[in-house]
Amino acid sequence: MKFFRLLTPLLLVIVAVLCFAPAAWAFCGFYVAKADTKLYNKASQVVIARDGDRTVLTMANDFQGEVKDFAIVIPVPTVLQKEQVHVTEPKIIERLDAFSAPRLVEYFDSDPCAVNDWVDRPAAAPRRGAVNEEAEKTSDRSLGVTVEARFNVGEYDIVILSAKESGGLETWLKRNGYKIPRGAKQLLQPYIRSSMKFFVAKVNLDKFEKSGYQFLRPLQISYQSPKFMLPIRLGMINATTEQDLIVYILSPQGQAEIINYRTVKIPSDANIPLFVKDEFGEFYKSMFQTAYTKEDRKVGFLEYAWDMGSCDPCSADPLTPEELKQAGVFWLDDNSPSNVVSPSFRRPSPTSNVFISRLHVRYTRDKFPEDLMFQQTANSESFQGRYVLQHPFQGELKCEAGREYKRSLPKRFEQEAQTLAKLTNWNIQDIRNKMKLSVGNLRYSLWENFLSWLGLN
């Protein structure tokens, strides 16, 4: 029992050092909330697992409407066969979203009168942390369209097409029951000139009804190509407003970045007022829009970059090796070091070989005229969109250090208000009112400081 009495304060000291030494540990803190894709009315999500020239692309359907009207046309670099197309569960993308979402954390000031009393610091909370059929090749010479492959996967009917001109492709799609919006012809032409093929999918209603699913499952395709890109132009045909796209890139190397547009880090590591705890979703949406406007609406934002073996603080548990495989990670095996997940409070394990980059693109046709082109890098630096609530100490303060601490709080609160206004473009006076930092309160604080200086308080 004596051993445990000695061990407990030692563990608290270790935790305190890890969580209160910012020069060595840039993260830590108590996880409070996250800014996941549920904040947006409509946000497309794509997972790209890539190593070398091989890519596994998973697309979450954000289709809103009758299932019978669903159709998707995606340019792909090669002719895909049935074994290269799968359906997967939405849960995998939800897990990636939760794990990598920008997050809110909170700290609690220690008693300024308890000088170097590390044992009395609170310990950090545990962090959480198909019918087989051969592809039938046909040709409609009058339209210049060739059906390179045709098959069924799950609830989807899949056709792989090649075409000689966009008008013929548009006509073929309409004749075969695909509802193609106006303007498709113009956007299809560049892909045809690049000799790309077209992955076309629609729902097989009979199979969908028999499946028992209420929502369309994500489609996953794999292929080999030196092109590391994501076609987005076709998705703009019907767009009347800005569109959000979240791309999760899984790599055995390090951070991924967009090369034909700038990639910038989302503003992070800012101390903001405590009331944001109840308004974090609105805060993040406003902050993102402000940063997006400041960057002239034509950049991709890095919201998260981390080794998949750990997280700090964790907004969700790291994905298991089996989940990573479902997300398209094909370079894992039973002996892979990634099959051992590091404790969530540690720095990323140097032996893990799955790195996640979360890129958030808000795009329009005029600001993003080109498809997204990516590259992998060897940069394994950790980054997260992270916003800090710093709770002041609430106990009795009788020492000089405590009185000095108390005098410093109004300036700190005002700085938090200014930071929030700058990040979100919210009205500074509204922020002060919510913080209860009215002019009267500020005057009271100054009067209280004056009394303290005289030794009368």
Side-chain angles (χ1 to χ4, degrees):
M1 184 62 68
K2 183 177 181 181
F3 171 76
F4 285 104
R5 284 200 301 269
L6 293 173
L7 179 61
T8 299
L10 177 61
L11 291 176
L12 293 179
V13 169
I14 293 173
V15 170
V17 171
L18 295 185
C19 291
F20 295 91
W25 288 70
F27 299 97
C28 202
F30 298 81
Y31 162 72
V32 179
K34 60 180 180 288
D36 55 23
T37 56
K38 296 183 182 70
L39 291 179
Y40 311 102
N41 292 330
K42 190 172 182 180
S44 300
Q45 296 180 78
V46 176
V47 182
I48 304 176
R50 184 172 172 92
D51 184 20
D53 284 349
R54 185 178 174 191
T55 297
V56 178
L57 179 70
T58 307
M59 300 157 284
N61 296 314
D62 61 347
F63 176 72
Q64 299 174 359
E66 299 267 347
V67 172
K68 64 182 178 61
D69 295 329
F70 173 83
I72 188 170
V73 180
I74 304 169
V76 291
T78 61
V79 174
L80 303 181
Q81 301 301 326
K82 183 173 182 176
E83 59 270 19
Q84 294 172 269
V85 183
H86 301 88
V87 289
T88 189
E89 296 302 320
K91 184 67 176 177
I92 295 303
I93 297 178
E94 293 171 8
R95 289 277 288 113
L96 286 168
D97 180 22
F99 176 78
S100 62
R103 62 212 59 195
L104 183 67
V105 299
E106 59 186 353
Y107 294 88
F108 293 83
D109 288 352
S110 59
D111 183 352
C113 293
V115 181
N116 294 326
D117 191 2
W118 290 101
V119 174
D120 287 341
R121 290 186 186 270
R127 296 180 182 83
R128 312 175 286 279
V131 178
N132 293 324
E133 61 180 59
E134 295 185 4
E136 178 185 356
K137 292 189 177 182
T138 63
S139 178
D140 188 333
R141 293 180 182 177
S142 64
L143 296 176
V145 176
T146 300
V147 178
E148 302 286 358
R150 188 196 301 270
F151 48 86
N152 174 268
V153 177
E155 61 267 33
Y156 295 98
D157 289 330
I158 310 294
V159 179
I160 310 298
L161 304 174
S162 62
K164 293 182 179 179
E165 56 97 8
S166 58
L169 178 58
E170 183 180 37
T171 300
W172 189 97
L173 290 168
K174 289 180 178 178
R175 282 184 183 177
N176 285 270
Y178 296 93
K179 295 183 178 181
I180 303 300
R182 293 181 180 180
K185 178 179 177 179
Q186 178 184 358
L187 293 177
L188 290 169
Q189 188 59 47
Y191 299 112
I192 294 174
R193 285 199 300 264
S194 300
S195 300
M196 295 189 75
K197 313 304 178 187
F198 295 89
F199 174 90
V200 183
K202 65 179 178 180
V203 178
N204 184 308
L205 293 177
D206 290 338
K207 291 183 179 294
F208 179 72
E209 291 175 2
K210 291 178 182 177
S211 71
Y213 289 104
Q214 293 183 328
F215 302 100
L216 295 174
R217 292 180 293 172
L219 276 163
Q220 187 176 83
I221 60 177
S222 61
Y223 55 86
Q224 278 195 275
S225 172
K227 293 181 179 179
F228 187 9
M229 55 89 72
L230 181 66
I232 62 172
R233 285 176 289 177
L234 289 179
M236 301 181 190
I237 295 176
N238 278 335
T240 57
T241 59
E242 299 161 340
Q243 298 187 72
D244 284 286
L245 170 67
I246 310 292
V247 185
Y248 311 95
I249 298 180
L250 305 176
S251 163
Q253 300 176 30
Q255 289 184 21
E257 60 188 17
I258 304 170
I259 58 175
N260 56 334
Y261 300 98
R262 287 191 304 120
T263 302
V264 301
K265 293 178 178 177
I266 197 73
S268 183
D269 286 326
N271 280 59
I272 53 179
L274 299 180
F275 75 82
V276 176
K277 184 173 184 176
D278 297 323
E279 302 179 19
F280 185 56
E282 291 306 311
F283 157 77
Y284 192 80
K285 286 193 291 186
S286 297
M287 191 213 65
F288 186 90
Q289 181 66 33
T290 301
Y292 166 72
T293 303
K294 181 180 178 182
E295 297 291 348
D296 196 25
R297 298 178 168 85
K298 53 184 179 183
V299 301
F301 286 100
L302 180 69
E303 291 186 320
Y304 192 81
W306 209 283
D307 188 290
M308 188 55 85
S310 66
C311 48
D312 180 19
C314 293
S315 59
D317 292 331
L319 275 68
T320 66
E322 183 57 38
E323 287 176 319
L324 289 172
K325 289 178 182 178
Q326 292 178 43
V329 176
F330 52 85
W331 55 88
L332 295 183
D333 55 51
D334 293 337
N335 297 319
S336 169
S338 292
N339 284 0
V340 180
V341 178
S342 305
S344 61
F345 58 82
R346 292 183 182 173
R347 298 287 277 180
S349 168
T351 59
S352 180
N353 62 350
V354 181
F355 196 94
I356 180 173
S357 303
R358 177 188 174 115
L359 297 167
H360 186 165
V361 177
R362 179 168 291 172
Y363 63 95
T364 56
R365 292 182 68 170
D366 60 329
K367 294 293 186 179
F368 281 80
E370 300 177 359
D371 293 325
L372 302 180
M373 307 295 295
F374 304 101
Q375 71 175 5
Q376 294 169 313
T377 74
N379 180 9
S380 59
E381 176 188 2
S382 298
F383 172 79
Q384 60 183 245
R386 173 178 168 276
Y387 310 93
V388 181
L389 306 179
Q390 190 81 32
H391 292 263
F393 180 73
Q394 297 294 328
E396 189 175 5
L397 298 171
K398 294 184 177 180
C399 66
E400 180 56 35
R403 288 190 286 270
E404 181 61 32
Y405 165 81
K406 194 172 183 180
R407 285 192 289 268
S408 72
L409 289 178
K411 182 178 180 181
R412 179 174 116 183
F413 295 154
E414 175 63 17
Q415 182 59 55
E416 291 173 353
Q418 295 285 351
T419 298
L420 182 60
K422 182 178 179 181
L423 287 174
T424 61
N425 208 26
W426 290 352
N427 181 276
I428 184 66
Q429 192 54 49
D430 291 342
I431 293 172
R432 289 179 182 135
N433 289 340
K434 286 189 175 183
M435 296 175 69
K436 298 179 179 170
L437 281 181
S438 65
V439 173
N441 285 336
L442 285 173
R443 284 174 179 166
Y444 177 77
S445 296
L446 292 172
W447 175 248
E448 186 177 44
N449 291 343
F450 177 68
L451 293 178
S452 296
W453 181 73
L454 293 176
L456 301 176
N457 186 20

